[in-house]
Amino acid sequence: MSIAAELSGGFSSARVFALVKRYIYLLRASWPRLLELVYWPAVQMVTWGFLQTYVMQTSNAVAFGAGVFIGGMLLWDLLFRSQLGFSMSFLEEMWARNMGNLLMSPLRPLEFVAALMVMSLVRLALGLVPVALLAIPFFGFNVFAIGLPLAVFVTNLVLFGWAVALVVSGLVLRNGIGAEGLAWTIMFIVLPLGCVYYPVGLLPAWLQPISWALPPTAVFEGLRAILTTGAIRPDLMLWAFALNVVYISVSIVIFLYLLGRSRDAGSLVQMGE
Amino acid sequence: MQSGSVPAIAVAHLAKSYNGSVAVAGIDFTCAQGEVLGLLGGNGAGKTTTIAMIMGLVTPSAGSVHVLGTDMARERHKVLGRINFESPYVDMPHRLTVRQNLTVFAGLYGVSDVKTRIAQLADDLNLADVLDRPSGKLSAGQKTRVALAKALINEPELLLLDEPTASLDPDTADWIRSHLEDYRKRRNAAILLASHNMAEVERLCDRVIIMKKGRIADQGVPADLIARYGRANLEEVFLDVARGTEMLA
């Protein structure tokens, strides 16, 4: 089945809402799932917060005092969780052997993707907003004080997270649940290459173009600029956004292509390893 | 049986190969509206692949599938709201209650009055006592009735059933068959039924197709097939076909 066939038909927000409701029911029915949303970001925040406090006591570097560590950690977690939130909802369908029910229903592939994006945002809000608020009294770091640029950072990171999640979901559809490990690990390549905790200039010259090809690099550079000098870098945000338009478009095409390949290979009939 | 002008299913030269291995080898058949068509065959005969191609879950290597007059390769979205299915290869999310699962699928199928429809199904399929229980904590019989409720949530004009009574006790299986008979009469729905239970097929089906190694080995009205093979029942006919003593249709 061609990509055009997968894209055919209208778009129903009612069907998106119906699927979102399914994931909300699931979250409500499972306190471990809810706890997991908050647990790891909270552990990260506390660890990096104390590390930053310690380094501040032993160093005069402006960056430490400005909250570069804890800010980087919060936005890194946002990036990781935007991808994971999307992927987890997708994997729930694989684990529940429900994918056939969905793909045989009137739900269009892009409506499925839209529902996964909504759930990614819901999971982010549930997991990261409380942790970001806790960072204020614990470590005196208020990420919300960044203001409007924060919304731009978040938008760019979430878009990139979704782009990665779409490719991972396509690979899991095509190759079965045995590929689910990618959902947990693939984003970690961005940790060194996206320069979450250090400037791009620190990388070897040959690696820097690769780093700049990743939208998160521009976001983390922009974050450091604001926190250390107060400078807002719209050029970086535009670069990140332009890259994201390309990444998200390509990832949707890849997802639909892999869905079509799954129909060709018959792998949608028996979802498993 | 009432036949509409457009068949519920029209399959032409349908074939599927996986890496050179033939699963379905160019079959042709139709299923009229209101007809119950049985799809029989041993393991690996190509029944599930055929049903999956009709549903659009598997892309044919060759040939075409039209469902209610719609080409499934190009316009499947136009007809998916008018059909439904039940298969052992899919499950309902276990943590959601039966009511929650049915509510979600009602939303996906665009059912207008969801509460009333779920109440009707609960009444018809004797599910009232389990509506608020997690789907994963139901017995096999209850799960089958819930899966059937999901398959009927949109009152489909075409119902695809793959082993709907497998692993059920005789009483529950009989109850399911009676419900399917009632539904078909009430809605004039077409049903494509894949089953290994020959008594079930004899009872429910107007016509059967027997598949073997991806091809249609024989087909006809159950009583005619039994007479033609000189056998006492459809199971003996099936064994003749499976063991290579089929007659040319």
Side-chain angles (χ1 to χ4, degrees):
Chain A
M1 197 167 284
S2 68
I3 290 173
E6 301 287 6
L7 282 170
S8 63
F11 186 95
S12 163
S13 53
R15 286 193 291 264
V16 175
F17 177 69
L19 195 56
V20 167
K21 200 185 270 187
R22 176 258 194 277
Y23 299 123
I24 300 288
Y25 285 148
L26 184 66
L27 277 179
R28 275 183 10 197
S30 172
W31 66 262
R33 282 177 169 83
L34 279 171
L35 180 65
E36 187 272 337
L37 290 178
V38 183
Y39 172 74
W40 188 243
V43 168
Q44 286 259 75
M45 187 269 289
V46 170
T47 305
W48 284 97
F50 281 125
L51 179 64
Q52 179 160 297
T53 305
Y54 169 69
V55 174
M56 279 170 64
Q57 289 167 357
T58 57
S59 165
N60 289 323
V62 174
F64 297 127
V68 166
F69 271 12
I70 200 164
M73 183 287 293
L74 282 172
L75 290 193
W76 157 253
D77 223 53
L78 186 138
L79 170 64
F80 180 52
R81 304 230 152 238
S82 64
Q83 177 253 313
L84 198 61
F86 184 115
S87 298
M88 286 296 288
S89 299
F90 178 86
L91 287 171
E92 294 282 5
E93 303 300 0
M94 300 287 287
W95 295 328
R97 297 172 72 231
N98 192 38
M99 198 61 79
N101 281 325
L102 296 183
L103 294 176
M104 247 299 282
S105 79
L107 184 76
R108 311 280 190 277
L110 286 188
E111 292 164 357
F112 186 19
V113 167
L116 296 172
M117 287 174 171
V118 171
M119 278 315 295
S120 166
L121 293 177
V122 169
R123 285 168 169 267
L124 273 178
L126 288 173
L128 279 179
V129 171
V131 172
L133 290 173
L134 278 176
I136 301 171
F138 272 78
F139 303 108
F141 179 76
N142 183 2
V143 72
F144 302 107
I146 295 171
L148 187 62
L150 178 66
V152 183
F153 293 155
V154 169
T155 303
N156 272 311
L157 291 175
V158 167
L159 284 174
F160 186 68
W162 289 346
V164 173
L166 272 162
V167 175
V168 170
S169 300
L171 289 170
V172 173
L173 263 184
R174 177 63 190 87
N175 299 293
I177 204 74
E180 75 170 294
L182 287 172
W184 302 97
T185 55
I186 196 166
M187 191 58 91
F188 282 93
I189 192 66
V190 174
L191 201 50
L193 287 181
C195 301
V196 176
Y197 297 115
Y198 44 78
V200 183
L202 211 66
L203 295 178
W206 63 269
L207 203 52
Q208 290 184 22
I210 296 171
S211 177
W212 280 117
L214 298 170
T217 303
V219 171
F220 290 109
E221 284 291 304
L223 174 71
R224 277 187 289 274
I226 282 187
L227 292 178
T228 56
T229 67
I232 295 174
R233 297 280 306 274
D235 57 323
L236 290 175
M237 293 308 99
L238 281 173
W239 172 247
F241 188 73
L243 283 176
N244 271 323
V245 170
V246 174
Y247 275 103
I248 204 92
S249 304
V250 170
S251 66
I252 287 174
V253 170
I254 290 173
F255 176 78
L256 294 176
Y257 169 76
L258 290 170
L259 175 59
R261 292 288 299 127
S262 306
R263 291 188 202 274
D264 289 341
S267 51
L268 299 177
V269 178
Q270 282 179 297
M271 294 285 185
E273 294 179 2
Chain B
M1 180 181 77
Q2 286 181 306
S3 297
S5 55
V6 176
I9 304 170
V11 162
H13 314 304
L14 189 67
K16 183 66 187 176
S17 300
Y18 297 109
N19 300 321
S21 169
V22 176
V24 176
I27 60 173
D28 300 80
F29 68 87
T30 59
C31 174
Q33 292 183 36
E35 182 180 22
V36 181
L37 177 64
L39 197 56
L40 314 183
N43 297 325
K47 305 187 300 294
T48 297
T49 302
T50 300
I51 289 181
M53 285 193 283
I54 292 169
M55 294 191 299
L57 279 183
V58 170
T59 306
S61 304
S64 66
V65 176
H66 284 75
V67 170
L68 299 166
T70 300
D71 183 353
M72 292 300 278
R74 290 186 299 174
E75 300 178 308
R76 59 195 292 272
H77 63 273
K78 286 185 178 173
V79 80
L80 286 175
R82 296 164 63 193
I83 65 180
N84 213 319
F85 80 110
E86 185 197 346
S87 164
Y89 298 110
V90 295
D91 212 342
M92 303 284 272
H94 282 194
R95 284 195 168 270
L96 271 60
T97 66
V98 172
R99 189 191 304 278
Q100 289 171 337
N101 269 320
L102 293 178
T103 300
V104 169
F105 283 104
L108 292 178
Y109 279 89
V111 174
S112 52
D113 188 348
V114 176
K115 284 185 180 173
T116 303
R117 183 67 189 134
I118 291 175
Q120 279 173 353
L121 287 167
D123 193 38
D124 288 352
L125 292 163
N126 197 18
L127 290 171
D129 291 344
V130 300
L131 271 181
D132 295 309
R133 284 176 58 187
S135 298
K137 293 192 175 173
L138 304 179
S139 68
Q142 289 166 333
K143 280 182 182 171
T144 302
R145 279 186 281 141
V146 171
L148 193 56
K150 174 257 153 190
L152 297 175
I153 191 87
N154 58 330
E155 298 199 278
E157 295 164 59
L158 170 63
L159 191 53
L160 301 150
L161 302 172
D162 194 355
E163 302 285 351
T165 59
S167 76
L168 293 182
D169 67 74
D171 181 43
T172 308
D174 180 70
W175 193 91
I176 294 285
R177 286 175 204 126
S178 298
H179 189 82
L180 289 172
E181 284 177 319
D182 289 346
Y183 178 75
R184 173 263 186 100
K185 283 178 194 160
R186 184 164 50 80
R187 192 70 176 80
N188 189 36
I191 298 176
L192 180 64
L193 171 73
S195 177
H196 285 134
N197 186 320
M198 296 303 132
E200 174 174 279
V201 171
E202 250 185 279
R203 172 175 160 183
L204 291 177
C205 296
D206 302 307
R207 199 159 56 88
V208 297
I209 288 170
I210 306 177
M211 291 186 71
K212 185 179 173 184
K213 295 180 181 172
R215 298 179 187 279
I216 294 178
D218 212 336
Q219 58 183 312
V221 174
D224 291 350
L225 282 172
I226 292 166
R228 183 145 55 84
Y229 279 77
R231 294 297 186 178
N233 54 47
L234 198 57
E235 182 154 351
E236 292 179 1
V237 173
F238 178 85
L239 290 174
D240 279 352
V241 174
R243 289 168 186 172
T245 54
E246 71 270 25
M247 300 174 179
L248 290 175

